[in-house]
Amino acid sequence: MQTDIDPRSLIGRKAFDRQGAKIGTVDEVYLDDATGVPEWAAVRTGLFTRDAFVPLEPSEFVDGALLIPFDRALIKDAPDFGVGRHLSPEQELQLYRHYGLDSAPSAGPVAPDRDFGRLAGQEE
């Protein structure tokens, strides 16, 4: 994903799968605590459904929307860790495996103390 985008600008944006089908709306963005780089987005998949975590790399932000290069079914089947708290290293690894990605894009294997904090859509 483009690195010059403010992660807050993703909050509230529509998210689409690789076929262009709408998945939902970006609810939260999760940053790597060590680097501050946006790593994950929680996408609200419907009014009465949960948020699905999606990797921001290799996703793209195009014309005001988040384009996620995975099928809608895979995204909706992502592990459910709830939102509003940090992702543990184990949870992050589960998500990478779910999407068939080896590990964090540029950071290599996840260190045991690596943690992912959230950037909520509202001021705390």
Side-chain angles (χ1 to χ4, degrees):
M1 192 177 95
Q2 296 168 255
T3 56
D4 60 339
I5 293 176
D6 178 358
R8 286 183 175 91
S9 68
L10 291 173
I11 307 294
R13 301 296 182 142
K14 303 293 182 218
F16 298 88
D17 75 0
R18 70 178 177 185
Q19 274 80 31
K22 183 181 171 195
I23 299 163
T25 304
V26 177
D27 200 18
E28 294 184 351
V29 173
Y30 287 71
L31 309 176
D32 180 318
D33 284 343
T35 66
V37 173
E39 296 276 343
W40 299 96
V43 176
R44 173 73 54 186
T45 59
L47 187 58
F48 297 107
T49 58
R50 66 181 180 89
D51 284 37
F53 285 94
V54 297
L56 290 175
E57 179 68 37
S59 298
E60 296 181 86
F61 189 61
V62 178
D63 295 329
L66 184 63
L67 306 179
I68 305 160
F70 298 101
D71 289 326
R72 180 184 184 118
L74 182 67
I75 294 165
K76 288 193 171 206
D77 273 349
D80 184 3
F81 302 122
V83 294
R85 55 195 148 189
H86 282 71
L87 288 176
S88 73
E90 294 79 19
Q91 290 169 327
E92 185 211 9
L93 284 174
Q94 286 179 28
L95 287 167
Y96 274 112
R97 285 185 193 123
H98 175 77
Y99 287 105
L101 302 170
D102 292 328
S103 63
S106 60
V110 175
D113 62 347
R114 190 168 176 190
D115 205 3
F116 289 83
R118 71 183 180 95
L119 176 63
Q122 300 175 351
E123 296 296 319
E124 294 183 24

